[in-house]
Amino acid sequence: MSVPPLQALPLELLRQRSSTKWRSYGDDVIPMFVAETDFPLAPAITAALARAVEIGDTGYTPPRPGIDLDFADFAERRWGWRPDPARIRWTGDVMMGVVEVLRAVTSPGDRVVVTPPVYPPFYDTVEEAGAVVERVPLRDTGERWELDLDGIGEALASGATAVLLCNPHNPTGTVHSRESLAELARLAARHGAAVVSDEIHAPLTFAPSVFTPFLDSAPEAAAVGYTVTSASKTYNLAGLKCAVIVTGSEENAAVVRALPWEVEWRAGLFGVIANRAAFAPESDAWLAQLLVALDDNRRLLADLLAEHLPLARYRVPEAGFLAWVDVSAYGWGDNPAPFVRREAKVALHHGPLFGAEGVGHVRINVGCAPEVLEDAIRRIGALVE
């Protein structure tokens, strides 16, 4: 039996939200920039949060909130990988976890490899940890993007001490292959480097692509790897602070346990409650419907661009609800997003913030109703008619 797509909430209801997506611009602008989605919460999350409000469960996060077991169960169901719950900790959000791990595994001034174009906070996080960004851009094969393993190997050989990995990759939607992740693990092990893997988009991988957890990619990964992830992107929980930090060896687990106690206290109780409900089997059916809706939209965008912006270059992403689109052929400047917002009343994410590779690009959030996506691309297309 086919799974129906999840239906987005109507615009008139969405505009009552008070989050960044709906309060950054006026009602005349279609917001498609920040990574929030327009769908109702999974029923299990709504029920869990409603119950917490009903009984006033608004205190501190407990010392053992249970999310370690829930995430391990979820990972086993989704990816056939069961991390040891004893090696799962928690914190406020993925970037908090990343910066704290980087502080622990690097020294001030160390070089950390990032693979642009990449999520803009990666650059800030490396600097916040006291390290220096080492850019090794993704390779464009002409058909897809992939890790430049030769370039990463050269960076590690010349002294870089860590790699900050985006798996799956934001903004390209690339799902890194098991083979490339395994080779990355071997490179890191050879050079005594750490790999910190942000896997927040992992549940949103579309068939036939297969997501590989970095820690499960090769035996060497357990020795070098730290995974930081959350239910927040998939289930639209960014405002409820919670993420998990996962390790695959006792040595690396000890590194995470030695982080300041405040790292765990930063996880909000509502965030833990919501993430646990998201990871529960009761939310699996909702996720299946969401994937159908996003799969439809990533393909719809290709059709809409072909019709209204035929000079745009876009590869259908293998994961996520974020589309990386090159509109440089239209001459809207190095950073087209402000022009598009001003002239078409559509807010897109600024390409150059993802690195020099983002010049002439925009990132489009397709986590919305199909008719909203159609309206947005028609508006932008009218600029070239």
Side-chain angles (χ1 to χ4, degrees):
M1 186 172 63
S2 62
V3 176
L6 192 63
Q7 298 298 305
L9 295 170
L11 270 175
E12 59 269 22
L13 191 57
L14 290 167
R15 292 199 182 277
Q16 296 176 36
R17 288 181 173 179
S18 57
S19 62
T20 291
K21 182 173 185 178
W22 299 100
R23 286 293 176 267
S24 294
Y25 304 105
D27 287 354
D28 58 334
V29 173
I30 300 176
M32 308 187 81
F33 62 112
V34 72
E36 299 179 26
T37 55
D38 297 353
F39 302 96
L41 291 178
I45 298 174
T46 300
L49 293 173
R51 177 60 176 162
V53 171
E54 180 184 5
I55 65 174
D57 191 9
T58 55
Y60 291 111
T61 303
R64 290 302 304 273
I67 194 171
D68 47 357
L69 291 169
D70 292 315
F71 178 75
D73 289 345
F74 179 82
E76 187 171 28
R77 289 198 314 277
R78 301 300 300 182
W79 309 306
W81 166 61
R82 185 173 180 83
D84 184 346
R87 295 172 179 164
I88 300 174
R89 311 305 290 175
W90 42 93
T91 189
D93 59 38
V94 167
M95 287 299 102
M96 280 186 193
V98 165
V99 73
E100 295 300 342
V101 171
L102 285 176
R103 281 194 179 112
V105 301
T106 65
S107 299
D110 279 2
R111 290 180 287 126
V112 175
V113 172
V114 301
T115 55
V118 74
Y119 183 50
F122 270 36
Y123 304 101
D124 300 330
T125 298
V126 170
E127 293 176 2
E128 185 180 348
V132 177
V133 170
E134 173 96 355
R135 291 167 30 90
V136 181
L138 294 181
R139 289 183 62 250
D140 185 348
T141 69
E143 296 181 356
R144 67 190 307 272
W145 289 275
E146 60 183 31
L147 296 173
D148 179 358
L149 293 168
D150 290 339
I152 293 173
E154 291 171 6
L156 296 178
S158 69
T161 59
V163 178
L164 180 50
L165 176 68
C166 201
N167 178 41
H169 197 86
N170 172 10
T172 65
T174 300
V175 176
H176 302 302
S177 70
R178 178 175 290 274
E179 293 75 19
S180 65
L181 294 173
E183 180 58 21
L184 175 61
R186 288 189 286 267
L187 285 169
R190 189 178 308 145
H191 296 288
V195 176
V196 184
S197 184
D198 171 355
E199 300 186 356
I200 199 169
H201 295 275
L204 297 175
T205 299
F206 304 105
S209 297
V210 176
F211 169 73
T212 301
F214 176 75
L215 291 174
D216 192 45
S217 65
E220 294 85 353
V224 302
Y226 300 80
T227 289
V228 192
T229 191
S230 172
S232 63
K233 281 291 183 289
T234 299
Y235 297 89
N236 201 43
L237 305 174
L240 303 179
K241 294 297 184 179
C242 181
V244 292
I245 306 172
V246 188
T247 50
S249 71
E250 187 51 38
E251 293 75 13
N252 290 358
V255 170
V256 175
R257 285 195 293 269
L259 295 175
W261 62 269
E262 186 64 27
V263 172
E264 286 190 2
W265 276 94
R266 291 171 186 161
L269 182 56
F270 271 24
V272 170
I273 290 170
N275 270 251
R276 293 193 66 187
F279 292 141
E282 290 78 10
S283 293
D284 288 353
W286 181 95
L287 176 53
Q289 289 186 267
L290 174 67
L291 284 167
V292 172
L294 297 179
D295 188 10
D296 289 346
N297 277 0
R298 67 180 181 140
R299 298 176 191 280
L300 173 61
L301 178 60
D303 294 338
L304 291 169
L305 291 173
E307 180 180 356
H308 299 285
L309 292 164
L311 300 182
R313 293 189 293 173
Y314 162 65
R315 287 186 190 136
V316 176
E318 297 164 339
F321 53 86
L322 304 170
W324 188 236
V325 184
D326 180 355
V327 293
S328 57
Y330 290 105
W332 295 336
D334 289 350
N335 184 15
F339 172 81
V340 171
R341 186 180 68 246
R342 184 175 64 250
E343 300 298 327
K345 302 299 182 184
V346 179
L348 307 175
H349 209 322
H350 298 210
L353 292 181
F354 294 80
E357 297 74 15
V359 167
H361 288 67
V362 292
R363 194 190 73 177
I364 303 175
N365 179 344
V366 302
C368 58
E371 55 269 24
V372 172
L373 182 57
E374 291 171 5
D375 186 12
I377 302 305
R378 286 196 181 100
R379 289 190 188 192
I380 300 172
L383 300 179
V384 300
E385 290 177 357

